[in-house]
Amino acid sequence: LFAGLKNKNGRPIVVNPTTLLIPSALEMTGSQLLASPVDVNKYNAVPNPVKGKYTIVSTPMLDAISPVQWYLGNFKRQFVWVEVIPFQVLTRKRGTEDDWNRDVVASYKCRWFGKCAATDYIYVVKSLGTT
């Protein structure tokens, strides 16, 4: 799929996939396929062209959708994380009357907020469980 991608001018779009995102049900199979020195689907010990090429990330969240669907692509180019509120540590001011009634030396509040968004739709492809 990546080889056929072209921009509006007809030039190829270069996508270098780095990550294979799979459901937990496929974790063992994916690890074996990417670690095997030979292609298990071919005869005469043909070298495996994808050996060690991708990083495997598995999640049980995909099992709820389908135990056979998987995603391949460059997720760092596809998605971006934007911090709306950077990490903050706030300290409560001391000296209130409630401090005399409690054994509170200090209190803190931490907050952090961000959003994930897709920058484009071409850097990750989905397989429906076939090759």
Side-chain angles (χ1 to χ4, degrees):
L1 289 173
F2 290 123
L5 289 176
K6 303 211 182 294
N7 66 9
K8 61 184 176 184
N9 298 329
R11 292 185 174 170
I13 298 173
V14 178
V15 178
N16 295 319
T18 58
T19 306
L20 180 64
L21 178 63
I22 58 176
S24 295
L26 293 178
E27 186 172 10
M28 186 64 71
T29 304
S31 297
Q32 288 174 344
L33 289 174
L34 291 180
S36 176
V38 296
D39 191 342
V40 294
N41 295 322
K42 306 273 176 149
Y43 298 108
N44 297 330
V46 175
N48 186 359
V50 294
K51 179 185 184 292
K53 190 171 183 179
Y54 307 116
T55 303
I56 293 179
V57 177
S58 68
T59 175
M61 305 284 280
L62 290 178
D63 286 312
I65 298 169
S66 171
V68 294
Q69 288 181 359
W70 48 268
Y71 300 83
L72 176 67
N74 191 333
F75 289 85
K76 288 186 178 182
R77 262 186 103 178
Q78 177 82 24
F79 299 101
V80 65
W81 173 263
V82 178
E83 284 189 4
V84 178
I85 298 174
F87 184 71
Q88 298 173 339
V89 178
L90 307 170
T91 307
R92 183 177 58 88
K93 303 248 187 227
R94 295 189 67 199
T96 64
E97 288 296 319
D98 287 340
D99 288 343
W100 294 105
N101 299 326
R102 297 185 207 150
D103 292 331
V104 177
V105 176
S107 60
Y108 301 94
K109 176 172 72 172
C110 300
R111 66 180 181 179
W112 177 56
F113 182 68
K115 294 269 185 182
C116 181
T119 59
D120 211 332
Y121 59 90
I122 60 173
Y123 298 107
V124 175
V125 295
K126 172 179 149 181
S127 172
L128 299 176
T130 58
T131 58

